[in-house]
Amino acid sequence: MSTSISNTYEDFVKGFHPKSGLDLKFYKQNQMQRRILSFMNSHGHPTYPEFLKALNADPVLYDAFFKHLTINVSQFFRDATQWKTLRETIFPLLLQNKTPLKLWSAGCSSGQEPYSLAMTMMEYFSMAKFSILGTDIDVNVLRQAKEGLYKQNDFASTPPEFLQKYFTSSDKGHQIHDSVKRQVSFQPQNLLTDRFQTGFDFIACRNVVIYFTEEAKEMLYKKFTDSLRPGGILFTGSTEHLFGLNHLGLKPVSSFFYQKQ
Ligand SMILES: C[S@@+](CC[C@H](N)C(=O)[O-])C[C@H]1O[C@@H](n2cnc3c(N)ncnc32)[C@H](O)[C@@H]1O
């Protein structure tokens, strides 16, 4: 029984790749299979081949499934302690050596992370020049990022004065100001297969690799290291410790911040 599910899963992975550009072989099979089967059950699709057909025929179903697979939960200033370290230690360190700073939020979801970077720069380093790139594989979250309208629960970790200063609130939600929007450019990108720009001073890639296989993570962290300038810093999620740093050419500067040597 488990062999036949496994075979069928592999066929599904092959069938889904050309349409989506998402190669699920880079993602942990157990977790992905569980997520796919739960979606199929809740939407009344009994088998992988039938489900693939339905995905090809129904764009609304496809978008809902892609969203379910990519898990784009985010928040402004997620993990407040790390943002304090960023403000008090990491950005001052980077600004000693270079301006303008070139920053990248990789796997940026609906923009909460790159906009948090922009607000931090605007609030605490107002004289510094910088650019911020936000990328994600999911074009729907990038559309939301560009729109910049957020719900109250996006602000659970946000100091209230930031909400007051950089957003206009109404019954529709909290609209980010154009002054912040202008600091960030968004682009679709698959971290596993697309080429990266180079010369970054800072890359945030947080809560993105949770479902990647060990090989995919290794490949990705190598690509990030190649994209950083010497002295540049990689910021990871609060469960994502990097091992084998010498081999990657990174050294820890603080918890979850790694510097290219
Ligand atoms: C949980 S969110 C993290 C958002 C933000 N970095 C944070 O920590 O709050 C993960 C994001 O990674 C994106 N993602 C997953 N696989 C990806 C891939 N191969 N390439 C680019 N983005 C990917 C998802 O679409 C999702 O928006």
Side-chain angles (χ1 to χ4, degrees):
M1 177 72 181
S2 67
T3 315
S4 87
I5 285 181
S6 167
N7 287 340
T8 316
Y9 175 77
E10 277 149 22
D11 289 342
F12 178 81
V13 169
K14 278 194 202 125
F16 186 62
H17 186 189
K19 177 169 174 64
S20 63
L22 186 62
D23 191 347
L24 290 168
K25 80 168 187 289
F26 291 119
Y27 293 72
K28 290 177 185 156
Q29 179 171 340
N30 284 348
Q31 281 94 333
M32 279 297 141
Q33 197 168 11
R34 207 176 315 126
R35 289 192 78 74
I36 293 165
L37 290 173
S38 83
F39 187 95
M40 285 167 59
N41 281 339
S42 64
H43 289 74
H45 295 284
T47 66
Y48 284 126
E50 184 277 332
F51 182 48
L52 262 182
K53 249 192 217 158
L55 286 175
N56 282 319
D58 181 350
V60 175
L61 180 74
Y62 173 83
D63 279 355
F65 177 62
F66 199 87
K67 186 175 162 70
H68 175 82
L69 268 192
T70 51
I71 314 162
N72 36 45
V73 176
S74 190
Q75 260 185 13
F76 290 95
F77 300 100
R78 187 177 193 173
D79 306 314
T81 318
Q82 273 92 278
W83 286 88
K84 186 168 183 283
T85 307
L86 184 62
R87 180 174 85 232
E88 292 182 351
T89 311
I90 304 297
F91 279 165
L93 181 75
L94 289 171
L95 285 165
Q96 270 172 14
N97 298 326
K98 188 176 164 268
T99 173
L101 289 186
K102 190 174 167 184
L103 316 175
W104 176 19
S105 166
C108 66
S109 189
S110 330
Q112 295 89 335
E113 186 175 86
Y115 286 142
S116 300
L117 292 172
M119 287 185 281
T120 302
M121 290 302 294
M122 291 165 78
E123 187 66 23
Y124 300 102
F125 306 95
S126 60
M127 302 305 284
K129 291 204 166 66
F130 63 93
S131 65
I132 303 176
L133 172 68
T135 63
D136 202 283
I137 195 171
D138 185 344
V139 291
N140 289 316
V141 292
L142 292 177
R143 199 172 306 126
Q144 289 169 22
K146 287 179 195 163
E147 191 188 0
L149 183 65
Y150 295 95
K151 299 203 174 66
Q152 189 60 36
N153 56 8
D154 289 308
F155 296 93
S157 313
T158 305
E161 58 274 21
F162 276 76
L163 184 54
Q164 274 159 22
K165 185 166 175 182
Y166 295 104
F167 295 80
T168 300
S169 302
S170 71
D171 51 1
K172 284 196 216 138
H174 304 285
Q175 176 66 54
I176 200 156
H177 290 172
D178 286 347
S179 59
V180 187
K181 262 193 195 175
R182 275 197 297 272
Q183 311 300 332
V184 184
S185 61
F186 291 100
Q187 279 173 20
Q189 181 190 52
N190 184 341
L191 291 169
L192 293 168
T193 50
D194 291 344
R195 286 171 72 94
F196 295 175
Q197 293 179 29
T198 53
F200 285 104
D201 298 286
F202 178 87
I203 301 173
C205 184
R206 309 168 61 227
N207 310 298
V208 175
V209 302
I210 319 165
Y211 298 106
F212 289 6
T213 62
E214 291 308 312
E215 294 75 24
K217 281 189 219 175
E218 169 86 26
M219 177 182 76
L220 183 60
Y221 287 131
K222 169 84 179 64
K223 281 173 78 179
F224 282 145
T225 309
D226 290 344
S227 271
L228 284 170
R229 62 146 176 98
I233 286 178
L234 175 67
F235 178 21
T236 64
S238 58
T239 57
E240 294 152 7
H241 296 277
L242 299 195
F243 301 103
L245 300 166
N246 284 342
H247 149 72
L248 287 173
L250 295 169
K251 67 167 194 230
V253 278
S254 184
S255 300
F256 313 110
F257 292 96
Y258 301 89
Q259 188 168 37
K260 179 170 173 174
Q261 288 164 314

